[in-house]
Amino acid sequence: MEQQLKQLEQEALTKIQAAANLKELNDVRVAYLGKKGPITDLLKGMGKLSPEERPKMGALVNAVRENVTAQLEQRATVLEEQAIQEQLEKESIDVTLPGRQVRSGNRHPLTRVVEEIEDLFVSMGYTIAEGTEVERDYYNFEALNLPKGHPARDMQDTFYITEETLLRTHTSPVQARTMEAKKGEPIRIISPGKVFRRDNDDATHSHQFMQIEGLVVGENIRMSDLKGTLDKLAKKMFGEDREIRLRPSFFPFTEPSVEMDISCFKCGGSGCNVCKQTGWIEILGAGMVHPNVLEMAGYDSKKVSGFAFGIGAERIAMLKYGVDDIRHFYTNDSRFLSQFHRTEG
Ligand code: PHE
């Protein structure tokens, strides 16, 4: 019997070590220590032994049971730890994986041009004024010295909404609105925004585009102030070595009126494809505010004077970034727009 017991113990211990998980271990426990297990059977068989043998055997069986129980517990601890370890490994995060690239957007080239120009003028003490895209005929034309039926209205084919309202054809109505609101006070504003004209869209025309209006009104504002201001603008947008040239022009709301050219930033003036071999590139229209415009807005044209200019944002952006078709700005093609990422600044 002792022999049998030792063998059982050995068997049990081998199986305990072989148990691969807690479930298998539990099966071993039930098989050896359970009510129907061999050790219990042995205990039951003790009655057949002689009274002298009984305590010895009893002690032996108990020792085996204790040993098996202890081994079971030990193995259980090991297997539990193993299970936790496996779980942790399964759930662990590999921090060495490269991250997913975050695609950040970039500002639209027109926005960049507008912001650059805003920065320059704000640094010179201008404030930014906003107008409305749907405008009254009065501010778009009449208050700018373009009475009804004036032939110069034909310079700007217009989307009319009613007889008296229209989509503004330029940002100049902001001049009239600002002067009216300022009631004789000095003014220094720029005003960027969308404008609309009944043009057929092609590589250089669009029925909607962006302008930036500038207006300065006060005592002793002279043509030389306008020239100095535009010179700063040309240098900021196209490089410090740019020169400017003013050519006589006509706008009903300025007198005298000028077109400003800059010396070609590509060839420096000797002639190339960008400047159409002239050495100069036309950039914007400007002039001294017409006395009629000042008077209509309540300013005394004998006491104050002013200058105004209107910049086309698309034209600046096309020149600056070498864009050959104005429609690229509006079609939202990310292949076009993402090219401005690298130069974002
Ligand atoms: N409003 C003019 C245009 O759109 C530009 C301009 C603005 C000219 C201010 C002179 C002064 O053509």
Side-chain angles (χ1 to χ4, degrees), residues 217-237:
V217 178
E219 282 176 29
N220 284 323
I221 303 294
R222 291 162 306 190
M223 190 84 180
S224 53
D225 298 316
L226 171 62
K227 192 172 179 190
T229 305
L230 295 182
D231 189 59
K232 276 251 180 300
L233 173 70
K235 288 182 163 60
K236 157 98 178 195
M237 298 309 285

Side-chain angles (χ1 to χ4, degrees), residues 171-216:
T171 43
S172 300
V174 183
Q175 288 187 38
R177 283 181 174 277
T178 307
M179 283 188 262
E180 200 180 81
K182 288 282 184 181
K183 299 191 188 339
E185 294 290 306
I187 296 172
R188 233 187 301 176
I189 54 142
I190 56 161
S191 182
K194 296 188 188 94
V195 301
F196 309 83
R197 291 187 198 178
R198 249 198 75 244
D199 259 331
N200 289 325
D201 294 357
D202 63 24
T204 53
H205 294 87
S206 169
H207 63 281
Q208 179 194 308
F209 54 103
M210 288 283 283
Q211 278 191 341
I212 302 148
E213 192 81 8
L215 173 70
V216 174

Side-chain angles (χ1 to χ4, degrees), residues 103-120:
R103 271 179 51 85
S104 64
N106 53 287
R107 283 177 301 166
H108 192 280
L110 289 178
T111 308
R112 288 179 53 182
V113 163
V114 170
E115 285 181 359
E116 254 180 75
I117 293 175
E118 282 177 355
D119 281 352
L120 171 68

